[in-house]
mmCIF file of all heavy atoms in Angstrom:
data_model
loop_
_atom_site.group_PDB
_atom_site.id
_atom_site.type_symbol
_atom_site.label_atom_id
_atom_site.label_comp_id
_atom_site.label_asym_id
_atom_site.label_seq_id
_atom_site.Cartn_x
_atom_site.Cartn_y
_atom_site.Cartn_z
ATOM 1 N N VAL A 1 100.128 114.011 111.034
ATOM 2 C CA VAL A 1 100.680 114.443 112.325
ATOM 3 C C VAL A 1 99.578 115.101 113.148
ATOM 4 O O VAL A 1 98.909 116.031 112.665
ATOM 5 C CB VAL A 1 101.853 115.426 112.130
ATOM 6 C CG1 VAL A 1 102.406 115.885 113.481
ATOM 7 C CG2 VAL A 1 102.954 114.784 111.294
ATOM 8 N N PHE A 2 99.413 114.630 114.370
ATOM 9 C CA PHE A 2 98.407 115.216 115.251
ATOM 10 C C PHE A 2 98.888 116.584 115.733
ATOM 11 O O PHE A 2 100.043 116.747 116.139
ATOM 12 C CB PHE A 2 98.158 114.306 116.448
ATOM 13 C CG PHE A 2 97.098 114.820 117.391
ATOM 14 C CD1 PHE A 2 95.756 114.695 117.084
ATOM 15 C CD2 PHE A 2 97.455 115.442 118.583
ATOM 16 C CE1 PHE A 2 94.781 115.176 117.941
ATOM 17 C CE2 PHE A 2 96.491 115.920 119.452
ATOM 18 C CZ PHE A 2 95.145 115.790 119.132
ATOM 19 N N ILE A 3 97.972 117.570 115.709
ATOM 20 C CA ILE A 3 98.299 118.919 116.169
ATOM 21 C C ILE A 3 97.598 119.221 117.496
ATOM 22 O O ILE A 3 98.246 119.470 118.506
ATOM 23 C CB ILE A 3 97.903 119.961 115.111
ATOM 24 C CG1 ILE A 3 98.636 119.681 113.778
ATOM 25 C CG2 ILE A 3 98.251 121.374 115.609
ATOM 26 C CD1 ILE A 3 100.152 119.687 113.864
ATOM 27 N N ALA A 4 96.276 119.188 117.514
ATOM 28 C CA ALA A 4 95.522 119.490 118.738
ATOM 29 C C ALA A 4 94.060 119.141 118.520
ATOM 30 O O ALA A 4 93.558 119.193 117.386
ATOM 31 C CB ALA A 4 95.651 120.970 119.096
ATOM 32 N N ASP A 5 93.364 118.817 119.604
ATOM 33 C CA ASP A 5 91.937 118.492 119.572
ATOM 34 C C ASP A 5 91.655 117.446 118.497
ATOM 35 O O ASP A 5 92.002 116.287 118.656
ATOM 36 C CB ASP A 5 91.120 119.765 119.377
ATOM 37 C CG ASP A 5 89.628 119.530 119.559
ATOM 38 O OD1 ASP A 5 89.264 118.499 120.155
ATOM 39 O OD2 ASP A 5 88.826 120.361 119.098
ATOM 40 N N ASN A 6 91.035 117.845 117.364
ATOM 41 C CA ASN A 6 90.784 116.903 116.267
ATOM 42 C C ASN A 6 91.418 117.385 114.969
ATOM 43 O O ASN A 6 90.934 117.093 113.879
ATOM 44 C CB ASN A 6 89.277 116.692 116.081
ATOM 45 C CG ASN A 6 88.581 117.942 115.545
ATOM 46 O OD1 ASN A 6 89.116 119.041 115.618
ATOM 47 N ND2 ASN A 6 87.391 117.775 115.011
ATOM 48 N N ILE A 7 92.527 118.133 115.077
ATOM 49 C CA ILE A 7 93.194 118.733 113.917
ATOM 50 C C ILE A 7 94.511 118.005 113.631
ATOM 51 O O ILE A 7 95.285 117.723 114.547
ATOM 52 C CB ILE A 7 93.488 120.228 114.148
ATOM 53 C CG1 ILE A 7 92.224 120.958 114.595
ATOM 54 C CG2 ILE A 7 94.068 120.854 112.893
ATOM 55 C CD1 ILE A 7 91.129 121.005 113.573
ATOM 56 N N VAL A 8 94.772 117.734 112.349
ATOM 57 C CA VAL A 8 96.018 117.089 111.938
ATOM 58 C C VAL A 8 96.682 117.900 110.832
ATOM 59 O O VAL A 8 96.035 118.671 110.117
ATOM 60 C CB VAL A 8 95.775 115.645 111.444
ATOM 61 C CG1 VAL A 8 95.247 114.769 112.569
ATOM 62 C CG2 VAL A 8 94.820 115.618 110.248
ATOM 63 N N TYR A 9 97.982 117.708 110.718
ATOM 64 C CA TYR A 9 98.792 118.250 109.611
ATOM 65 C C TYR A 9 98.939 117.118 108.613
ATOM 66 O O TYR A 9 99.397 116.025 108.958
ATOM 67 C CB TYR A 9 100.138 118.688 110.156
ATOM 68 C CG TYR A 9 101.121 119.275 109.151
ATOM 69 C CD1 TYR A 9 101.318 120.651 109.086
ATOM 70 C CD2 TYR A 9 101.883 118.461 108.319
ATOM 71 C CE1 TYR A 9 102.247 121.204 108.201
ATOM 72 C CE2 TYR A 9 102.808 119.006 107.429
ATOM 73 C CZ TYR A 9 102.981 120.374 107.382
ATOM 74 O OH TYR A 9 103.904 120.914 106.504
ATOM 75 N N THR A 10 98.572 117.359 107.343
ATOM 76 C CA THR A 10 98.510 116.252 106.395
ATOM 77 C C THR A 10 98.869 116.683 104.981
ATOM 78 O O THR A 10 98.674 117.839 104.597
ATOM 79 C CB THR A 10 97.091 115.640 106.400
ATOM 80 O OG1 THR A 10 97.013 114.542 105.493
ATOM 81 C CG2 THR A 10 96.040 116.674 106.001
ATOM 82 N N LYS A 11 99.401 115.752 104.218
ATOM 83 C CA LYS A 11 99.552 115.892 102.764
ATOM 84 C C LYS A 11 98.902 114.660 102.162
ATOM 85 O O LYS A 11 99.391 113.538 102.349
ATOM 86 C CB LYS A 11 101.015 115.990 102.340
ATOM 87 C CG LYS A 11 101.183 116.363 100.869
ATOM 88 C CD LYS A 11 102.653 116.509 100.496
ATOM 89 C CE LYS A 11 102.823 117.141 99.128
ATOM 90 N NZ LYS A 11 102.177 116.389 98.038
ATOM 91 N N ASN A 12 97.807 114.840 101.462
ATOM 92 C CA ASN A 12 96.952 113.711 101.124
ATOM 93 C C ASN A 12 97.366 112.929 99.889
ATOM 94 O O ASN A 12 96.739 111.925 99.564
ATOM 95 C CB ASN A 12 95.504 114.187 100.994
ATOM 96 C CG ASN A 12 94.938 114.621 102.332
ATOM 97 O OD1 ASN A 12 95.505 114.336 103.383
ATOM 98 N ND2 ASN A 12 93.824 115.326 102.304
ATOM 99 N N SER A 13 98.393 113.372 99.206
ATOM 100 C CA SER A 13 98.981 112.576 98.127
ATOM 101 C C SER A 13 100.313 113.194 97.754
ATOM 102 O O SER A 13 100.655 114.290 98.211
ATOM 103 C CB SER A 13 98.066 112.520 96.894
ATOM 104 O OG SER A 13 98.190 113.686 96.113
ATOM 105 N N ALA A 14 101.065 112.511 96.899
ATOM 106 C CA ALA A 14 102.367 113.017 96.468
ATOM 107 C C ALA A 14 102.243 113.995 95.303
ATOM 108 O O ALA A 14 103.239 114.577 94.877
ATOM 109 C CB ALA A 14 103.271 111.846 96.072
ATOM 110 N N GLN A 15 101.028 114.206 94.802
ATOM 111 C CA GLN A 15 100.839 115.066 93.643
ATOM 112 C C GLN A 15 101.161 116.530 93.957
ATOM 113 O O GLN A 15 100.892 117.010 95.072
ATOM 114 C CB GLN A 15 99.396 114.963 93.145
ATOM 115 C CG GLN A 15 99.011 113.593 92.645
ATOM 116 C CD GLN A 15 99.840 113.175 91.449
ATOM 117 O OE1 GLN A 15 100.129 113.992 90.553
ATOM 118 N NE2 GLN A 15 100.234 111.916 91.415
ATOM 119 N N PRO A 16 101.736 117.269 92.996
ATOM 120 C CA PRO A 16 102.040 118.691 93.223
ATOM 121 C C PRO A 16 100.795 119.524 93.524
ATOM 122 O O PRO A 16 100.899 120.572 94.158
ATOM 123 C CB PRO A 16 102.687 119.137 91.906
ATOM 124 C CG PRO A 16 103.197 117.883 91.283
ATOM 125 C CD PRO A 16 102.245 116.805 91.685
ATOM 126 N N MET A 17 99.621 119.071 93.061
ATOM 127 C CA MET A 17 98.396 119.827 93.302
ATOM 128 C C MET A 17 97.849 119.603 94.706
ATOM 129 O O MET A 17 96.801 120.137 95.056
ATOM 130 C CB MET A 17 97.333 119.464 92.263
ATOM 131 C CG MET A 17 97.626 120.008 90.886
ATOM 132 S SD MET A 17 96.218 119.934 89.758
ATOM 133 C CE MET A 17 95.965 118.173 89.626
ATOM 134 N N GLU A 18 98.561 118.830 95.517
ATOM 135 C CA GLU A 18 98.127 118.536 96.887
ATOM 136 C C GLU A 18 99.056 119.254 97.862
ATOM 137 O O GLU A 18 100.220 118.897 97.993
ATOM 138 C CB GLU A 18 98.172 117.037 97.128
ATOM 139 C CG GLU A 18 97.406 116.589 98.349
ATOM 140 C CD GLU A 18 95.922 116.522 98.102
ATOM 141 O OE1 GLU A 18 95.502 115.920 97.094
ATOM 142 O OE2 GLU A 18 95.179 117.070 98.931
ATOM 143 N N PRO A 19 98.580 120.280 98.570
ATOM 144 C CA PRO A 19 99.447 121.000 99.512
ATOM 145 C C PRO A 19 99.480 120.316 100.873
ATOM 146 O O PRO A 19 98.631 119.485 101.193
ATOM 147 C CB PRO A 19 98.761 122.355 99.625
ATOM 148 C CG PRO A 19 97.300 122.016 99.495
ATOM 149 C CD PRO A 19 97.242 120.869 98.507
ATOM 150 N N CYS A 20 100.452 120.659 101.681
ATOM 151 C CA CYS A 20 100.390 120.328 103.101
ATOM 152 C C CYS A 20 99.364 121.264 103.728
ATOM 153 O O CYS A 20 99.360 122.461 103.436
ATOM 154 C CB CYS A 20 101.755 120.531 103.763
ATOM 155 S SG CYS A 20 103.012 119.353 103.220
ATOM 156 N N MET A 21 98.491 120.726 104.552
ATOM 157 C CA MET A 21 97.417 121.554 105.104
ATOM 158 C C MET A 21 96.908 120.971 106.413
ATOM 159 O O MET A 21 97.352 119.897 106.853
ATOM 160 C CB MET A 21 96.277 121.679 104.096
ATOM 161 C CG MET A 21 95.644 120.367 103.688
ATOM 162 S SD MET A 21 94.407 120.622 102.389
ATOM 163 C CE MET A 21 93.777 118.953 102.206
ATOM 164 N N LEU A 22 95.995 121.685 107.036
ATOM 165 C CA LEU A 22 95.368 121.254 108.276
ATOM 166 C C LEU A 22 93.953 120.784 107.977
ATOM 167 O O LEU A 22 93.234 121.410 107.188
ATOM 168 C CB LEU A 22 95.335 122.399 109.291
ATOM 169 C CG LEU A 22 96.694 122.997 109.667
ATOM 170 C CD1 LEU A 22 96.491 124.204 110.593
ATOM 171 C CD2 LEU A 22 97.581 121.957 110.342
ATOM 172 N N MET A 23 93.560 119.681 108.619
ATOM 173 C CA MET A 23 92.213 119.136 108.441
ATOM 174 C C MET A 23 91.707 118.599 109.769
ATOM 175 O O MET A 23 92.495 118.261 110.654
ATOM 176 C CB MET A 23 92.200 117.991 107.412
ATOM 177 C CG MET A 23 92.472 118.379 105.987
ATOM 178 S SD MET A 23 92.318 116.953 104.858
ATOM 179 C CE MET A 23 90.531 116.689 104.857
ATOM 180 N N THR A 24 90.385 118.481 109.872
ATOM 181 C CA THR A 24 89.824 117.778 111.021
ATOM 182 C C THR A 24 89.915 116.278 110.765
ATOM 183 O O THR A 24 89.897 115.829 109.612
ATOM 184 C CB THR A 24 88.363 118.160 111.277
ATOM 185 O OG1 THR A 24 87.550 117.672 110.203
ATOM 186 C CG2 THR A 24 88.204 119.671 111.395
ATOM 187 N N ILE A 25 89.981 115.513 111.825
ATOM 188 C CA ILE A 25 90.055 114.057 111.673
ATOM 189 C C ILE A 25 88.809 113.504 111.000
ATOM 190 O O ILE A 25 88.918 112.634 110.107
ATOM 191 C CB ILE A 25 90.318 113.398 113.039
ATOM 192 C CG1 ILE A 25 91.739 113.743 113.507
ATOM 193 C CG2 ILE A 25 90.124 111.889 112.966
ATOM 194 C CD1 ILE A 25 92.086 113.229 114.896
ATOM 195 N N PRO A 26 87.584 113.937 111.350
ATOM 196 C CA PRO A 26 86.412 113.433 110.626
ATOM 197 C C PRO A 26 86.475 113.699 109.122
ATOM 198 O O PRO A 26 86.129 112.821 108.313
ATOM 199 C CB PRO A 26 85.241 114.170 111.283
ATOM 200 C CG PRO A 26 85.713 114.460 112.667
ATOM 201 C CD PRO A 26 87.175 114.770 112.513
ATOM 202 N N ASP A 27 86.901 114.911 108.725
ATOM 203 C CA ASP A 27 87.010 115.210 107.292
ATOM 204 C C ASP A 27 88.080 114.342 106.635
ATOM 205 O O ASP A 27 87.930 113.909 105.480
ATOM 206 C CB ASP A 27 87.338 116.684 107.069
ATOM 207 C CG ASP A 27 86.141 117.586 107.300
ATOM 208 O OD1 ASP A 27 85.014 117.057 107.413
ATOM 209 O OD2 ASP A 27 86.315 118.820 107.373
ATOM 210 N N LEU A 28 89.166 114.085 107.352
ATOM 211 C CA LEU A 28 90.233 113.243 106.810
ATOM 212 C C LEU A 28 89.725 111.816 106.590
ATOM 213 O O LEU A 28 89.992 111.201 105.546
ATOM 214 C CB LEU A 28 91.420 113.241 107.768
ATOM 215 C CG LEU A 28 92.689 112.565 107.258
ATOM 216 C CD1 LEU A 28 93.401 113.473 106.255
ATOM 217 C CD2 LEU A 28 93.633 112.238 108.406
ATOM 218 N N ILE A 29 88.990 111.285 107.550
ATOM 219 C CA ILE A 29 88.449 109.930 107.418
ATOM 220 C C ILE A 29 87.476 109.863 106.244
ATOM 221 O O ILE A 29 87.500 108.912 105.453
ATOM 222 C CB ILE A 29 87.779 109.495 108.728
ATOM 223 C CG1 ILE A 29 88.829 109.295 109.820
ATOM 224 C CG2 ILE A 29 86.982 108.207 108.528
ATOM 225 C CD1 ILE A 29 88.254 108.964 111.177
ATOM 226 N N ASP A 30 86.609 110.878 106.112
ATOM 227 C CA ASP A 30 85.681 110.898 104.977
ATOM 228 C C ASP A 30 86.439 110.893 103.651
ATOM 229 O O ASP A 30 86.063 110.205 102.697
ATOM 230 C CB ASP A 30 84.779 112.132 105.046
ATOM 231 C CG ASP A 30 83.754 112.037 106.157
ATOM 232 O OD1 ASP A 30 83.539 110.925 106.682
ATOM 233 O OD2 ASP A 30 83.168 113.082 106.512
ATOM 234 N N THR A 31 87.520 111.676 103.585
ATOM 235 C CA THR A 31 88.298 111.767 102.354
ATOM 236 C C THR A 31 88.903 110.422 101.977
ATOM 237 O O THR A 31 88.798 109.970 100.830
ATOM 238 C CB THR A 31 89.418 112.815 102.506
ATOM 239 O OG1 THR A 31 88.829 114.105 102.690
ATOM 240 C CG2 THR A 31 90.311 112.838 101.280
ATOM 241 N N PHE A 32 89.531 109.749 102.932
ATOM 242 C CA PHE A 32 90.217 108.494 102.606
ATOM 243 C C PHE A 32 89.279 107.293 102.591
ATOM 244 O O PHE A 32 89.667 106.222 102.107
ATOM 245 C CB PHE A 32 91.398 108.284 103.558
ATOM 246 C CG PHE A 32 92.586 109.105 103.168
ATOM 247 C CD1 PHE A 32 92.763 110.377 103.671
ATOM 248 C CD2 PHE A 32 93.499 108.637 102.229
ATOM 249 C CE1 PHE A 32 93.830 111.159 103.285
ATOM 250 C CE2 PHE A 32 94.576 109.405 101.834
ATOM 251 C CZ PHE A 32 94.749 110.668 102.357
ATOM 252 N N SER A 33 88.075 107.465 103.057
ATOM 253 C CA SER A 33 87.082 106.411 102.882
ATOM 254 C C SER A 33 86.721 106.251 101.406
ATOM 255 O O SER A 33 86.146 105.237 101.010
ATOM 256 C CB SER A 33 85.823 106.725 103.703
ATOM 257 O OG SER A 33 86.097 106.647 105.087
ATOM 258 N N SER A 34 87.071 107.261 100.597
ATOM 259 C CA SER A 34 86.825 107.161 99.154
ATOM 260 C C SER A 34 87.681 106.087 98.510
ATOM 261 O O SER A 34 87.398 105.648 97.389
ATOM 262 C CB SER A 34 87.104 108.512 98.485
ATOM 263 O OG SER A 34 88.491 108.837 98.558
ATOM 264 N N LEU A 35 88.745 105.653 99.201
ATOM 265 C CA LEU A 35 89.661 104.665 98.622
ATOM 266 C C LEU A 35 89.313 103.240 99.014
ATOM 267 O O LEU A 35 89.982 102.303 98.584
ATOM 268 C CB LEU A 35 91.099 104.977 99.074
ATOM 269 C CG LEU A 35 91.630 106.367 98.731
ATOM 270 C CD1 LEU A 35 93.059 106.516 99.246
ATOM 271 C CD2 LEU A 35 91.569 106.622 97.232
#
Protein backbone atom coordinates (compact mmCIF):
# COMPACT_ATOMS: atom_id res chain seq x y z
CA VAL A 1 0.00 0.00 0.00
CA PHE A 2 1.39 3.37 -1.01
CA ILE A 3 1.66 5.84 1.89
CA ALA A 4 3.61 8.92 0.73
CA ASP A 5 6.65 9.97 -1.33
CA ASN A 6 8.53 6.63 -1.69
CA ILE A 7 7.15 4.89 1.43
CA VAL A 8 4.85 1.83 1.41
CA TYR A 9 3.04 -0.26 4.02
CA THR A 10 4.01 -3.89 3.45
CA LYS A 11 4.04 -7.43 4.82
CA ASN A 12 6.73 -9.28 2.93
CA SER A 13 5.55 -12.82 3.58
CA ALA A 14 2.88 -14.79 5.42
CA GLN A 15 5.40 -16.01 8.01
CA PRO A 16 4.81 -15.01 11.67
CA MET A 17 8.38 -13.66 11.80
CA GLU A 18 7.43 -11.06 9.16
CA PRO A 19 5.70 -7.96 10.62
CA CYS A 20 3.68 -5.34 8.82
CA MET A 21 6.06 -2.42 8.42
CA LEU A 22 7.03 0.64 6.41
CA MET A 23 9.73 0.51 3.73
CA THR A 24 11.08 2.66 0.94
CA ILE A 25 10.23 1.52 -2.57
CA PRO A 26 13.91 1.11 -3.56
CA ASP A 27 14.54 -1.13 -0.51
CA LEU A 28 11.38 -3.11 -1.32
CA ILE A 29 12.51 -3.67 -4.92
CA ASP A 30 15.96 -4.78 -3.73
CA THR A 31 14.35 -7.23 -1.31
CA PHE A 32 12.07 -8.87 -3.87
CA SER A 33 14.71 -8.89 -6.56
CA SER A 34 16.14 -11.75 -4.47
CA LEU A 35 13.31 -13.92 -5.81
